[in-house]
Amino acid sequence: MAKEYVVAILGATGAVGHRMVAQLAASSIPVKEVKLLASARSAGQQMEFRGQTLTVEETTPDSFNGVDLVLSSAGGSTSKKYLPEAVKRGAICVDNTSAYRMDPEVPLVVPEVNADQLKHHHGIVANPNCSTIQMVVALEPIRKAFGLKQIIVSTYQAASGAGQMALNEFYQQAKDHLAGKPMEANILPTKGDKKHYPLAFNLLPQIDVFEDDGYTHEEWKMIHETKKIMKNDMDDADLKVTATCVRVPVPIGHGESVYFQVEDESATVADLRKVLETAPGVVVEDDPAHQVYPQPLKAEGTGDTYVGRLRPDAENKGAFNMWVVADNLLKGAALNAVQNAEELIRQGLL
Ligand code: 25A
Ligand code: L14
């Protein structure tokens, strides 16, 4: 009989955690038992899994006794505190936070791109940043077919990327502004920084904190995670990547304007489109004559990465522009984590 797994979801009550529960329920993973873990604030809350009502428990190290698989999205410091405890007790963890992504011992995996890295795990597998995931799903098939020299990306990131509380704050600001009341800001652009600005009816060119070089940490993550996933080296010099990350007043679904240069300068838009049309996890939505292009509202709730507005740079051979959209909470987080777990099982690693 196939093995059945005891699964713990750490951060089950968050924007991503809720979706981890739902994606696990919808997956092919044989589940013996699910443990829903969060902080003391959420203990006692009830959630559904495959027709059962489960109660959220406060996380302690012993919560991981007997657990085979952990899916975690409760923030980097919570992962650093509890995942070593889970590994010590024999669990394998798929972690959605930034805590372990740059650890050379930890594979950073998007199954469509580098599932072959999973076998190198030592108990922890990292899920990349949401913006990085959707970009590499769209670019890896192009890199495989034509080579890739450079990426210049600007993101249009949804409020939910900063968590459920940030999403709630954004909706409240929109209501208050339309009612003629002042908007309050206590979380965005980033909880950990000193100043806060309203996102409703606004754009915030800051996601995460600033580094000394003037880039934000989110931009740093896109650069180095992309290199680690595509080239297996976070500092690879042959693939140039630069990024500008912007928070936009959209609840769910990140958009990205991606400019890229391939090695094979004979590649045409038709060649790229052909590759993208058969690429796993990609849906091409690109028909300017009928105004067809990817949009967050259409992507929300789905697991695919949508690509459109594909066009050549008229002045640079081998260079192209495209527009990429995905649900940041699903392919960008919960779904990718569950797909990593499914792939671990398929490869006999769990
Ligand atoms: O550090 P990182 O990696 O950058 O991640 C930072 C945050 O980003 C979100 C996620 O927030 C994470 O905490 N996130 C990460 N990756 C994401 C992605 N790809 C992403 N969001 C979108 N896309 P979140 O709000 O979605 O989820 C947080 C969950 O973690 C639980 N948690 C927090 N600390 C914990 C913990 N669990 C165990 N131990 C800890 N020490 C958290 O549970 C939630 O499930 P909770 O019980 O703390 O919160 C549940 C509800 O409680 C309310 N609330 C939260 N904070 C406060 C609060 N109420 C009052 N005061 C507060 N300070 C909220 O209603 C919340 O929903
Ligand atoms: O590194 O706020 O996984 O849109 C994911 C959500 C970083 C911030 C991560 C956002 C976070 C990002």
Side-chain angles (χ1 to χ4, degrees), residues 110-314:
V110 179
E112 292 90 334
V113 179
N114 62 341
D116 59 308
Q117 291 298 312
L118 288 171
K119 60 178 178 290
H120 302 301
H121 83 79
H122 300 277
I124 300 177
V125 170
N127 225 24
N129 181 323
C130 35
S131 307
T132 307
I133 292 177
Q134 67 184 66
M135 186 171 81
V136 300
V137 166
L139 278 178
E140 175 66 5
I142 293 171
R143 191 186 74 83
K144 266 206 215 133
F146 309 107
L148 193 58
K149 289 203 284 205
Q150 186 173 19
I151 305 167
I152 302 173
V153 56
S154 294
T155 69
Y156 299 66
Q157 294 183 226
S160 58
Q164 188 61 49
M165 300 255 288
L167 185 58
N168 297 348
E169 173 176 280
F170 161 64
Y171 283 131
Q172 191 59 48
Q173 289 166 351
K175 280 189 206 157
D176 286 344
H177 189 68
L178 291 175
K181 294 193 253 175
M183 292 190 275
E184 255 192 60
N186 300 303
I187 300 173
L188 294 167
T190 189
K191 211 165 34 191
D193 217 338
K194 292 174 284 298
K195 289 190 182 173
H196 301 286
Y197 305 110
L199 176 65
F201 308 99
N202 203 9
L203 296 170
L204 298 174
Q206 178 189 357
I207 297 181
D208 215 324
V209 295
F210 281 97
E211 306 282 351
D212 291 340
D213 61 6
Y215 282 78
T216 61
H217 192 55
E218 180 77 351
E219 291 159 354
W220 185 94
K221 284 186 284 191
M222 283 200 80
I223 294 165
H224 296 284
E225 291 184 21
T226 299
K227 290 170 187 256
K228 179 166 174 177
I229 298 163
M230 286 184 149
K231 308 283 283 204
N232 205 20
D233 172 3
M234 67 172 275
D235 291 314
D236 182 276
D238 296 329
L239 174 60
K240 293 186 199 163
V241 186
T242 191
T244 301
C245 294
V246 180
R247 184 81 64 196
V248 299
V250 166
I252 293 177
H254 289 352
E256 298 179 338
S257 167
V258 185
Y259 178 86
F260 59 97
Q261 174 107 40
V262 298
E263 281 165 14
D264 177 357
E265 291 190 349
S266 72
T268 65
V269 163
D271 296 333
L272 298 187
R273 190 190 310 269
K274 209 155 149 202
V275 163
L276 286 169
E277 272 167 356
T278 55
V282 174
V283 173
V284 177
E285 278 189 337
D286 193 14
D287 184 2
H290 297 95
Q291 287 176 277
V292 173
Y293 38 74
Q295 298 169 39
L297 269 183
K298 291 198 293 176
E300 183 179 340
T302 76
D304 288 313
T305 296
Y306 300 87
V307 180
R309 301 293 325 276
L310 196 56
R311 60 211 193 277
D313 175 348

